[in-house]
Amino acid sequence: MTQSTPSAALAPMQAHKSRALSGRVRVPGDKSISHRALILGALAVGETNITGLLEGEDVLNTAKAMRALGATVIRTGDFAWSVKGVGVAGFAEPAAPLDFGNSGTGARLVMGAVAGCPITAVFDGDASLRSRPMRRVLDPLELMGARVTASAEGGRLPMTLQGARDPIPMQYRTPVASAQIKSAVLLAGLAAPGTTVVIEREASRDHTELMLKHFGAEIVTERDGVHGRRITLTGQPELHAADVVVPADPSSAAFPIVAALIVPGSDVTLTDIMTNPLRTGLFTTLREMGASIEESDLRGDAGEPMATFRVRFSTLKGVEVPPERAPSMIDEYLVLAVAAAFAQGPTTMRGLQELRVKESDRLEATAAMLRVNGVNVEVSGDDMIVHGTGSVPGGGLVATHMDHRIAMSALVMGLAAEAPVGIDDASFIATSFPDFIPMMRGLGAELT
Ligand code: S3P
């Protein structure tokens, strides 16, 4: 079991004020799409070839889980993987507990897939994942006929899930905008007869829906209210293997993008960035702040659009981020807070309650990251206001709490702060962006 850190030992690191960043890079494949490509490949009949897969710890743990559940998963080249699936509801009972390491997405999506199979599986993860809420996914899965036979307090990991022999289709209204809850219900619904319906008040990322369609499922999405969606999946389809090209991850691109915006003189180009509108809230917000981000070479694959971004140093101003934008930038508030610290004037971010249940309590951890580096930040309830003054004193040591995005955000901040910014542990960066340090150094970042 992975109980502590991917590297076992803490890996402290420092970011120093750097000269202009420049270059052209492709950040790794999208994490959400990579998990889904492996899972749907494992549930399909035939061989799925995936290119551009994110080879980060989170996704590698999902690959291992798919093997343990009976699929044949082979790395065929750099970022190229082949998955031979077992068909819908065809998972075999795993011989050992499934260890998802740091990954909430891997754990929760696979819970959905297992819930529709007549097998029992133990789910586990590291200390961060063991602390995260699982009831939000287990509640609907139990309504569909799965059973939790053992767990830590409140359904937390380690947890034993007994899949349903005869899964029941249902209509489910998600209590929070969460693609993980929606996806778990849809993946369980694959094995149920009839239609499974998920209704969300605010649309969350729709990669599961797009990829299910790509693999041949009948799935229809309609609007529900102003920001919501109603998704109807016809159960028991035969999923056919379908090749997947994974575009670059906008949530990973966010780090070099904000770095380029705050380090004077920078001019950085990022290729193949996925531009699904349910993922681009950060870019909208940065543009409202005055960021120079030019898009070109727009194209798409498997229903997912992508583009090349050219980002240049920009004078930023504080803005108010509308709360309904949160689902489309939920993983990006940390690095937005860094951009806000370098902007002139306050940036107000409201309705951030979901940040409290990510890899760490990201609301508190982000505020602490800024404060220890001399930035004035207020947290009140689930809102955060960063009072930007155009510069950041720096000089602080940031506690990363086993959270890759805190680590990368703090290092980005240090590239433009007056004094170096330290982090206690860079090892968790490997969960989502294994080449972050060499890629940033290649652009001119001073990281020691
Ligand atoms: C993800 C959904 C989001 C996001 C996570 C990836 C996904 O979580 O924070 O990093 O791939 O479905 P929630 O759906 O729980 O908000």
Side-chain angles (χ1 to χ4, degrees):
M1 285 297 99
T2 312
Q3 302 303 2
S4 55
T5 70
S7 67
L10 292 182
M13 186 157 252
Q14 267 200 330
H16 306 259
K17 194 166 186 171
S18 301
R19 283 197 294 276
L21 305 178
S22 67
R24 185 181 174 91
V25 290
R26 186 197 197 275
V27 302
D30 185 71
K31 183 148 70 73
S32 295
I33 293 183
S34 295
H35 284 296
R36 288 158 171 82
L38 290 168
I39 296 168
L40 290 190
L43 289 172
V45 173
E47 179 177 356
T48 289
N49 287 295
I50 308 169
T51 49
L53 190 87
L54 166 63
E55 293 177 344
E57 309 250 356
D58 280 10
V59 173
L60 296 178
N61 281 325
T62 293
K64 278 186 208 148
M66 292 306 104
R67 270 189 208 121
L69 290 162
T72 305
V73 183
I74 300 167
R75 185 174 192 265
T76 52
D78 286 350
F79 316 110
W81 290 66
S82 142
V83 184
K84 285 195 189 118
V86 295
V88 166
F91 279 161
E93 188 156 294
L98 305 172
D99 183 359
F100 290 92
N102 195 246
S103 178
T105 306
R108 292 180 176 135
L109 267 54
V110 175
M111 283 176 201
V114 163
C117 302
I119 59 167
T120 296
V122 178
F123 290 74
D124 204 354
D126 68 14
S128 159
L129 189 56
R130 282 181 169 200
S131 74
R132 298 179 66 184
M134 294 298 157
R135 266 283 141 219
R136 48 178 51 204
V137 171
L138 297 175
D139 284 345
L141 297 181
E142 287 193 319
L143 291 172
M144 298 177 86
R147 245 166 39 88
V148 175
T149 55
S151 77
E153 179 267 321
R156 288 181 168 73
L157 306 192
M159 183 274 301
T160 306
L161 187 66
Q162 196 181 79
R165 196 156 290 280
D166 297 302
I168 308 156
M170 67 162 179
Q171 175 166 316
Y172 191 69
R173 203 174 271 278
T174 55
V176 286
S178 161
Q180 295 180 1
I181 303 176
K182 169 176 66 181
S183 301
V185 173
L186 292 174
L187 290 171
L190 281 175
T195 53
T196 292
V197 179
V198 180
I199 303 164
E200 38 183 14
R201 198 151 43 105
E202 286 176 325
S204 64
R205 65 190 69 192
D206 59 357
H207 309 304
T208 301
E209 297 92 302
L210 294 174
M211 206 181 285
L212 277 169
K213 200 171 275 173
H214 184 59
F215 277 77
E218 202 181 311
I219 181 161
V220 178
T221 300
E222 298 155 288
R223 289 189 95 86
D224 193 86
V226 187
H227 304 293
R229 296 230 170 144
R230 176 190 181 90
I231 302 122
T232 305
L233 170 72
T234 304
Q236 301 181 337
E238 176 148 326
L239 294 183
H240 301 286
D243 292 350
V244 178
V245 178
V246 184
D249 193 329
S251 299
S252 295
F255 301 103
I257 287 175
V258 169
L261 291 173
I262 63 176
V263 175
S266 297
D267 186 347
V268 171
T269 298
L270 298 109
T271 62
D272 305 335
I273 305 295
M274 195 241 294
T275 53
N276 180 318
L278 294 170
R279 293 287 299 281
T280 50
L282 173 74
F283 308 140
T284 307
T285 306
L286 289 172
R287 286 189 172 115
E288 288 171 0
M289 295 171 82
S292 166
I293 306 175
E294 278 171 36
E295 270 177 54
S296 62
D297 195 17
L298 275 71
R299 61 208 195 285
D301 197 278
E304 296 286 2
M306 56 181 126
T308 295
F309 281 32
R310 180 176 180 189
V311 187
R312 278 174 278 191
F313 169 74
S314 305
T315 304
L316 302 176
K317 63 174 196 310
V319 293
E320 177 123 5
V321 188
E324 65 273 12
R325 197 177 285 164
S328 69
M329 56 179 295
I330 196 65
D331 292 334
E332 280 71 72
Y333 281 99
L334 302 78
V335 78
L336 173 64
V338 170
F342 287 93
Q344 287 288 352
T347 291
T348 307
M349 309 168 218
R350 295 199 195 283
L352 307 185
Q353 59 277 2
E354 276 298 298
L355 290 195
R356 294 195 181 276
V357 291
K358 296 294 177 186
E359 286 82 331
S360 67
D361 177 342
R362 286 185 170 163
L363 198 45
E364 293 307 329
T366 302
M369 165 182 80
L370 296 176
R371 279 191 194 116
V372 76
N373 285 289
V375 179
N376 178 3
V377 51
E378 286 170 63
V379 174
S380 135
D382 296 323
D383 303 337
M384 178 161 65
I385 304 173
V386 177
H387 295 277
T389 58
S391 74
V392 168
L397 175 64
V398 174
T400 52
H401 303 286
M402 305 176 79
D403 190 329
H404 55 130
R405 297 197 204 280
I406 295 283
M408 289 186 278
S409 300
L411 291 177
V412 164
M413 179 162 64
L415 302 180
E418 296 311 312
V421 170
I423 59 171
D424 60 354
D425 188 11
S427 64
F428 281 87
I429 293 173
T431 62
S432 70
F433 198 160
D435 288 338
F436 175 76
I437 306 290
M439 190 178 284
M440 293 304 292
R441 282 187 182 140
L443 294 172
E446 284 194 42
L447 300 169
T448 56

